[in-house]
Each structure stands twice: as C-alpha cells, then as structure tokens.
Amino acid sequence: MVERGASEPFKLKSAEADHLVEHRHDDDIVTMPLEGLHPAPHLRDMEHYQQMYKRSIAEPEQFWDDIARTGFYWKQKWDAVRSVNFSRKQGRIESSWFIGSKTNICFNALDRWVETGIEDHVAFLFEPNDLSDDKSRREWTYGQTLAEVKRVANVLKAMGVKKGDCVTLYMPMVVELPVCMLACARIGAVHSVVFGGFSAEALAGRILDAESKVVITCDGVMRGKKPILLKQIADKACEIAQKRGFAVASQLVLHRLEEDKSTCEMRGGRDVWYDEAVARADTECEVEWMDAEDPLFILYTSGSTGSPKGVLHTTAGYMVYTATTFKYSFDYQPRDVFFCTADCGWITGHSYVTYGPLLNAATQVVFEGVPTYPDAGRLWDIVQRYRVNQIYTAPTAIRALKAYGDSYVQAYDRSSLRVLGTVGEPINPEAWRWYFEVVGSSKCAVVDTWWQTETGGHMIVSFGVKGMKFKPGSASLPSFGVDPVLLDEQGQEIEGPGDGFLMIRQGWPSTIRTVRGDHERMEQVYFDRFDGYYLTGDGCRRDADGYYWLTGRIDDILNVSGHRIGTAEVESALVLHELVNEAAVVGFGHDIKGEGIYAFVTLNQGAKASESLQKELIALCRSEIGPIATPDRIQWVPGLPKTRSGKIMRRILRKIAEQGGSVKMEDLGDITTLADPSVVAQLIASV
Ligand code: 6R9
C-alpha cells in the first residue's frame, strides 16, 4: 500500500480560503436592534462587556474565582485557581484549573436544581423526527431527568463500569443521549460520544483507542425519511474490534424504531435493552466526587495527520467555562427556551446541549430530525411550537434553508426569538443577512461563535449587547478570559490590524488537556510551531476596530458542512483500493457545504479509470469514515505535483479544484521547486 503523501508545512493561505468569506467588509455594520434585547440582560451594554473582558484578562484568577465560587456547587473548594504552561521550553504543557477542588458536573447540572425545589422545571422538550409522532413528543422535567440518569448510572455500574473507565456512546439525537452522558459523569466514567453518521470502521477505531468495554447504542433511528440502523453498525464495529483483539463486554441498546424489538438482533450475554435494564435499576445513585482535573470526556476530532485524536476535557474548568459562555453569549434568562440544532456527536452538542444549558437550569429543545423534513419550515415550526428564544445552528443549514425561499420561514411565528446563533465555519454575509432579516425580522442579535473541539467553549463571539455593532461575517470579539494574538510567519506578534495565525496567549478554563494516550502529540500539534501560545490552526484578520475575521484553516483540515475532516483521513481511505496508487485531497468552495471534497487520484500501472471505480472509491470513503467524507469530485490524474523532497504542493491542487481547466499557469505562483513541473500542465489538461 502506498502511503498518502505529506504536505508542505502550513502557511497562511487566506487568499485560497476566499470562497468561505467572499464579500466581507469591515465597514458593513448592523447595529444591535433594541427590540431584540431582554429588559434585564446579563451584559447591560458594550461598556459592561469591555469592563468585564478587561478584568478577565488583567486579573484572570480573581475573575474566575468569583464566577466559580458563586455559580456552582463544590464539595471542596480549590487551593489555587489555575496553573498553566503553554511553553515547551518551560517544560510539560499543562493546564489545570480550580486545583484541589472536588465537584461533580452531573450534580451541578441536575441534583442542584432538584434540591432547590425546581424539579418540575422543564429541562428537555423532545421533538421527534416525524411531525405527527405525538407519542414520542414529550417534556422531561429536571426531576425526571435526574431519576433517569441515576437509573442509567446504576445500569452502567452493574455492567462493571468504574470511575475512569471509558464508555462509548453511538446514539441518535434523543434525550437519552445527554442522559447517558450525564450518567457517565455522575459515576466518574469518561464518555466518548461518536456521531451516529460515522461508519463501523470509524466507530471501531474509537472504541479501540478508548478501550471501551461498554457501548451504548440504539436499534435505529429515522433521520428524515432515511432509517439509520445504528445497532447493526455497532455490531460490525464490535466485530472489527474483536479481530484486533479487543472485546466489547456489553452493549446497552435503546429501542427507538417503530418495528418490534424482535427485529433487532441481540447477542446473549452482551446486549441488553436500555428500557428493560433501566426499569429494573435502582433509583438511588450517589454521585462520585471528582477531582477538578479528573477526565470528563474524550471526543475524537480530525487532525492534519494520522487518525482522529481523542481530545480530552476535564471536570471543573470545562464546567465553569461552558456554563459561563452559555449564559453570556446567548443572554440566557430564566424561562427562556433554547434550541441548539447540533448533534451531541460534536463538541457543540456537548457544550451547548448537554452541559452549558443544564448548568444554567435552562429549558431546551432536543430535535431528532433534520431541518428539511418534512419540509424546509421544520426549524421554524419548532420555534413557533415551543416559543424558542435562542436558536443556535450552522451556516451550512442557513444556506440550505435560504435556498428554499422565504415562504417557509414566513409561514411561522418567530416573534419569540431574540438570539440567532451560528457556529462551525465563517458565515458568509449573504447567509448572515438572510438569517438576520428574514428569520429574525431584523430584530434579533446574530451571535457568531468561533471556537473548537479543543477550546471546549466559545472563544470569539459577536455578543448581542446594546450598542454592539455587528459586522456580518466577523466572529467579532474575544470572550471572557480569551486573549487572542495574531502571529506572522516568523512568529512575531502583529499589533493592531493585520492578518496572521490565530493563537491564544493565556489559558482559559476549558483548554484541551491532552490527546488521549499521546500527550506528546498534543504538545506537538498545538504548542510546537510557536512557543508560548496555543495554535488554533485557523488564519485570522483583525480590523481597525479590533474585530476578528476568521479566514479558514491553515492546515490540511477541511470544513465540510461545519464538520472537520482531515484530508489525510480521506486520502488513507482512497489508497486502500487496490487500483489506487496515490491520492491527494483538497477543499473547494461549495454553495451549501461551505467546502466540498475534491480528490485527485493516480492509478496503478495498467488500471483504468471508470465510473464503477469512482463508485467504489466513494463507497470506500463512506465505509471507512462515513457519509460526511463522500468526495464531491474525483479527478483521475497521471501524477501529483510534488516538491523534490516529496511533499505534495497542495496550493496547486486547490487552485485547480477551485478554477478547473481554466486555471492559468501564471496564477499558480512559483512551481520551480517541483520535482517535475510538467505535471502541472497534465493536471490542468486532465480536469
Ligand atoms: C465548534 C466547532 C473547529 C473549526 C475551527 C474553525 C471552524 C468553527 C467558526 C469557525 C469561523 C466560526 N469554525 N466555528 N470558523 N467562524 N464561528 O465547530 O468545533 O468541529 O472542532 O471545528 O471550525 O476553522 O478551527 P470543531
């Protein structure tokens, strides 16, 4: 098997990421509409934001001490607020917060509220895939949620799960998913949620890496009109793990399909139905008091090299940061109804479905389906049905819905909305305007939130505060405790306006702690290139008003519909085919997805390109990774443009992917370092 080709070291490439951000202007300003403000907002105005922000940077320890002390329950208080080292020259990279304290995030999310007597307050409003499925549509109070969490926790204990063990969750977007996450947290188990769209191969890799003896899954789920048979995929993943010498001991299986349970194959001694086990389980379950830095979860995310890495977050810092950002970014107020459309398989679902909202005693909608089923009005039907105050979704969804026209929005009452949140990729101004004008009737704040799996919570935010000047397409201003820095190629800090690598100078409470099983990899990826800062992997521009404009990844990570996919992962899948010699994958501008996947493939001697081979390669990407990794285009090429040291010059491929056969040699920049410059003309000719 031929290994995928390495890339040149990352460079700022904002010009090539232009498709993400076309038509963005510093002086395109929309003032925060007064109608969209709560009468008693958490942030009174921009001065209040500035004052709090400045304090969070100047006196971070006092700032976070105040917030942590007043907003949470601690079994034991901390001895020191933090200990952070972002410099490899100074030693091991570390980030520890609320050192010496003991707490439990599940207790803070549930028991705390039930103990103050608000057990009847609604935590979740479950909205099923099918509009007419009234028997599944239900409310979960804080009391009911806590009771269910305790039972699930006891089931896990009975399966032998102990503090520190990892449990893999492969589930649809139903309330039982956050319930299972909280059950893990309650007993000190570490959860690893794997998005239900990942393949058996991808799931197996994550089960193996985490050494999960217990997997929680579901017979299947309808997403729109499509059934997804999760249990079958989980079984296949267990088989793959078994072949590699690892046995999954138990599967806890939720019953969600209409079909009779008997249609789902259960293996004796290993598989247990969730409802049956939970019904039998004890209703009392003490919480496990956790050290501040005890692991809470791992979440696998794509990197620019190798297989996805297990980003690890711990207990106290993550808890304090997600709760605080939820409150301020969305101005969440008592009795508001929040609605995040993200799946818990992504970090957004962790921080802003499971943890942030519950830590604020919030009420939120959990939606099982997709925004276009039964039609493109579904999200607005939900907004009207539950009188949603804050909606949080991704630019790719906004663009997709915009394409169906305004009538789907206008058919519903959206007057409850105050905040329109966005996350996942830069939002293009056209989508921003539509969100603001059509969805929000020019009355709501558009809160753009830039952050990452590794940062745990919001980092750069366009706060919907009185006096805020929104700039469509700019993530805008740093959140509390976040100190962004732009560096040039030489590692010099850029003062004032400029374009550079986006770095974060000082630690914030929910900084990535490590990559599971490989602290060295974590140090290398995020702290090696520029000593003393956290490397975000994004390029960024700061304008004269101090607003931040994200310009796309500077590494080999694609952002497809707001989901991270490493080009390396797709390339590794493609080269598994016996006829493929080499593959190079780049992104290109895609109207709905933001970025599409473009694969350049060279075949082995004698092999012939064909439509059926193309289908086989697509199937391979889907089975190795999942449908989100399906290449949009495959181009057969005689060779790849490589430097003399064998590195693929991806910028050439990106230009071709973007402009096709019309690309001109003179637009490609310096190609003299290529081992064989004649490859380029052949590449263009083969489009
Ligand atoms: C939360 C999440 C992180 C990468 C990040 C950046 C891109 C996310 C963005 C954004 C511009 C925003 N990104 N939000 N770019 N504006 N508001 O998406 O985490 O899946 O780890 O992806 O997504 O490139 O580096 P994750």
Side-chain angles (χ1 to χ4, degrees), residues 496-515:
D499 206 329
F501 294 102
L502 176 61
M503 313 291 297
I504 312 293
R505 183 170 13 218
Q506 72 176 4
W508 62 100
S510 59
T511 314
I512 177 176
R513 296 307 199 259
T514 193
V515 165

Side-chain angles (χ1 to χ4, degrees), residues 352-485:
Y352 302 107
V353 175
T354 304
Y355 294 111
L358 298 184
L359 290 165
N360 282 278
T363 299
Q364 69 177 315
V365 179
V366 166
F367 176 40
E368 182 182 41
V370 294
T372 47
Y373 178 79
D375 62 38
R378 188 62 191 271
L379 297 186
W380 324 122
D381 177 274
I382 293 173
V383 166
Q384 171 179 293
R385 187 182 295 266
Y386 300 106
R387 307 279 312 148
V388 169
N389 302 101
Q390 293 95 351
I391 186 167
Y392 191 31
T393 191
T396 184
I398 299 167
R399 286 191 299 265
L401 296 177
K402 176 171 178 278
Y404 286 91
D406 302 356
S407 62
Y408 285 100
V409 184
Q410 284 153 352
Y412 299 94
D413 175 7
R414 294 139 5 255
S415 59
S416 56
L417 285 171
R418 293 202 319 271
V419 171
L420 309 172
T422 148
V423 59
E425 59 177 309
I427 182 164
N428 49 310
E430 296 77 0
W432 195 102
R433 292 240 166 242
W434 187 78
Y435 204 22
F436 178 74
E437 288 166 10
V438 179
V439 175
S441 309
S442 303
K443 288 180 187 155
C444 302
V446 175
V447 176
D448 192 349
T449 59
W450 173 85
W451 59 294
Q452 309 176 297
T453 305
E454 295 88 337
T455 70
H458 298 158
M459 300 293 279
I460 298 183
V461 180
S462 59
F463 291 92
V465 169
K466 185 172 163 216
M468 174 68 182
K469 299 210 177 319
F470 295 112
K471 301 191 185 192
S474 167
S476 304
L477 301 169
S479 189
F480 303 122
V482 175
D483 191 5
V485 172

Side-chain angles (χ1 to χ4, degrees), residues 62-81:
Q62 290 92 318
F63 180 88
W64 290 113
D65 193 285
D66 285 350
I67 286 184
R69 216 165 358 90
T70 51
F72 305 87
Y73 176 81
W74 304 89
K75 186 75 182 166
Q76 190 178 303
K77 291 277 160 64
W78 47 94
D79 311 315
V81 173

Side-chain angles (χ1 to χ4, degrees), residues 487-491 501 503 527-533 535:
L487 296 184
D488 64 18
E489 300 265 0
Q490 282 71 46
F501 294 102
M503 313 291 297
F527 297 94
D528 208 41
R529 170 86 192 248
F530 301 110
D531 195 67
Y533 311 85
L535 176 104

